Amino acid sequence: MTRCVCPGSFDPLTLGHLDVVERSARLFDEVVVAVLYNPDKQGTFTADERVGLIEKSVAHLANVRAEAFANELLVEVCARLEAPIVVKGLRGETDFSYELPMATMNRSLSGLETLFLPGNPGMDHLSSSLIKQVATLGGDISGMVPEAVHGPLLERLGVAG
Ligand code: PNS
């Protein structure tokens, strides 16, 4: 059995993230969506809330689960989960410049490999921070986040649905 990890801050999960998780679930026997967070940094959602939103959004995928990890190296999380591969989506060159050093660092630390999936072109503009900015200023974010995330996000940002 091959297990992979889809890591990120997921504050909150977007449809771009979900696309990568769904594609990973077709490539691997088991997928763990790992919410890696810094408890000293204030996010929009707590780690447990992020995990809850992810679990609702992946309920249709039998081989996917979500878990939160605080202040821990990704290589240690993957070793404990017995997952030899990390999967990340790449929306473009900026993502590649951000992700490549991390992938190389992880491989040098423990041999952990990273598999990059090209982002779905229709979703390349989706990022958690940009979506939150658009929603805060009254923009329509339907079609950018999973159904399970939409209501809770508007509520948390204090904007009407
Ligand atoms: O949502 P993001 O910003 O793409 O997630 C980045 C994340 C959380 C996957 C990355 O910062 C990470 O792996 N953090 C865990 C700590 C760690 O292992 N740092 C060294 C990475 S080389």
Side-chain angles (χ1 to χ4, degrees):
M1 187 185 82
T2 313
R3 181 179 293 134
C4 80
V5 165
C6 291
S9 37
F10 303 116
D11 189 33
L13 185 83
T14 71
L15 282 183
H17 293 135
L18 184 57
D19 176 61
V20 171
V21 172
E22 285 172 339
R23 289 159 65 193
S24 302
R26 289 197 286 272
L27 294 171
F28 294 89
D29 298 310
E30 204 176 293
V31 178
V32 180
V33 183
V35 176
L36 293 149
Y37 72 102
N38 180 347
D40 299 330
K41 266 195 193 167
Q42 211 183 345
T44 303
F45 291 99
T46 66
D48 286 346
E49 286 171 335
R50 294 178 214 182
V51 167
L53 294 174
I54 294 166
E55 280 174 345
K56 282 184 188 158
S57 305
V58 302
H60 59 296
L61 302 167
N63 60 339
V64 179
R65 63 187 171 89
E67 209 175 318
F69 303 90
N71 284 343
E72 200 172 353
L73 281 174
L74 180 59
V75 291
E76 286 168 5
V77 169
C78 289
R80 207 166 56 251
L81 293 172
E82 297 181 17
I85 296 175
V86 159
V87 179
K88 294 225 75 178
L90 286 184
R91 288 166 297 190
E93 285 172 30
T94 312
D95 274 358
F96 185 68
S97 305
Y98 170 68
E99 297 290 348
L100 186 61
M102 290 199 285
T104 307
M105 176 63 83
N106 286 332
R107 196 155 74 91
S108 82
L109 285 173
S110 75
L112 179 67
E113 291 285 8
T114 300
L115 181 69
F116 291 124
L117 294 183
N120 193 325
M123 297 178 175
D124 279 352
H125 59 300
L126 302 183
S127 74
S128 302
S129 52
L130 210 46
I131 290 171
K132 286 188 280 193
Q133 187 185 109
V134 168
T136 302
L137 297 172
D140 181 9
I141 58 156
S142 49
M144 298 186 189
V145 291
E147 276 293 315
V149 172
H150 191 256
L153 179 56
L154 294 187
E155 193 178 328
R156 181 56 51 91
L157 296 174
V159 293

